[in-house]
Amino acid sequence: EADIYQTPRYLVIGTGKKITLECSQTMGHDKMYWYQQDPGMELHLIHYSYGVNSTEKGDLSSESTVSRIRTEHFPLTLESARPSHTSQYLCASSEEQGADEQFFGPGTRLTVL
Amino acid sequence: KNQVEQSPQSLIILEGKNCTLQCNYTVSPFSNLRWYKQDTGRGPVSLTIMTFSENTKSNGRYTATLDADTKQSSLHITASQLSDSASYICVVSDRGSTLGRLYFGRGTQLTVWP
């Protein structure tokens, strides 16, 4: 099993709250990713990072932001959560070379009331 | 438009039976195709990877095939077990970007009944 961790696993919060979803990996991977996945739907890339101090927006527009201050840590923040943000958020990482295989964390199931 | 289509959307089989899941893609250029298994409430885990020159690859009871000419892949599961109940996702990578852009299918939800 991949050494990539996400916390919390489940989060239920009220509208307007600020939240941070944590993602950490111990594999020393340079590239990290955040995906959003709704039930029965494909994964959509919302953010990615090539390495420290690198962050890019993915294919799906998202109101969330990310930071990459340390190689192993790639947190995602929502300044003001809304019901439309309710979804599963998956974090992944891959090596610098042969970047195609991504190792996924267990995900955070977010529900905004 | 680069797309990955999977069928069936869902499948129910009895324990011990075999099944085959399909994946059709239009991604170009093509780098490789992976099948992932995603258990409920977990992240996807890679089962197999196939490159352009590979036709068949096995991983235990899982056998993937690839026809790069017709842009089709299948995942065959032999002697299914209850633990095979999961979503199986086909993911195609292009070689057109430095990121190694991935295109995800919606998955086939497999349920194995005792």
Side-chain angles (χ1 to χ4, degrees), chain B residues 14-90:
Chain B
L14 295 177
E15 186 179 14
K17 299 296 185 182
N18 305 335
C19 67
T20 300
L21 315 180
Q22 300 290 342
C23 174
N24 297 335
Y25 62 93
T26 60
V27 177
S28 182
F30 173 85
S31 176
N32 60 61
L33 183 149
R34 289 183 183 273
W35 283 93
Y36 280 86
K37 178 186 179 187
Q38 184 176 20
D39 292 313
T40 301
R42 309 291 297 180
V45 175
S46 179
L47 293 175
T48 65
I49 177 174
M50 302 191 72
T51 58
F52 186 86
S53 59
E54 296 176 303
N55 299 119
T56 303
K57 183 169 285 188
S58 293
N59 176 6
R61 295 181 295 103
Y62 301 104
T63 299
T65 66
L66 175 66
D67 186 334
D69 292 330
T70 62
K71 298 187 176 181
Q72 296 179 323
S73 176
S74 67
L75 180 69
H76 186 75
I77 303 175
T78 304
S80 60
Q81 300 176 357
L82 298 180
S83 59
D84 292 333
S85 295
S87 178
Y88 292 84
I89 303 172
C90 177

Side-chain angles (χ1 to χ4, degrees), chain A residues 62-75:
Chain A
S62 174
E63 294 168 345
S64 59
T65 59
V66 293
S67 62
R68 191 85 183 278
I69 299 174
R70 304 198 313 266
T71 297
E72 62 272 21
H73 196 211
F74 192 39

Side-chain angles (χ1 to χ4, degrees), chain A residues 4-5 7 15-17 20 23 31 39 60 62 64 69-70 76 86 88 91-92 94 101 108 111:
Chain A
I4 181 164
Y5 310 97
T7 57
T15 298
K17 299 293 185 182
T20 297
C23 175
K31 293 185 179 179
L60 182 67
S62 174
S64 59
I69 299 174
R70 304 198 313 266
L76 180 147
T86 295
Q88 167 137 325
C91 180
S94 64
E101 179 170 10
T108 294
T111 301

Side-chain angles (χ1 to χ4, degrees), chain B residues 84-101:
Chain B
D84 292 333
S85 295
S87 178
Y88 292 84
I89 303 172
C90 177
V91 184
V92 180
S93 174
D94 70 16
R95 54 172 188 250
S97 74
T98 56
L99 181 63
R101 168 78 189 270

Side-chain angles (χ1 to χ4, degrees), chain A residues 14-81:
Chain A
T15 298
K17 299 293 185 182
K18 177 181 179 179
I19 61 166
T20 297
L21 308 185
E22 301 289 348
C23 175
S24 296
Q25 50 96 4
T26 59
M27 297 173 283
H29 289 168
D30 283 318
K31 293 185 179 179
M32 296 189 73
Y33 315 81
W34 275 103
Y35 291 90
Q36 186 173 337
Q37 183 183 31
D38 293 318
M41 302 296 287
E42 64 267 46
L43 278 72
H44 290 286
L45 181 68
I46 53 175
H47 297 284
Y48 60 95
S49 167
Y50 288 113
V52 172
N53 294 325
S54 158
T55 61
E56 305 286 344
K57 289 193 177 295
D59 307 317
L60 182 67
S61 175
S62 174
E63 294 168 345
S64 59
T65 59
V66 293
S67 62
R68 191 85 183 278
I69 299 174
R70 304 198 313 266
T71 297
E72 62 272 21
H73 196 211
F74 192 39
L76 180 147
T77 299
L78 274 168
E79 291 292 333
S80 180

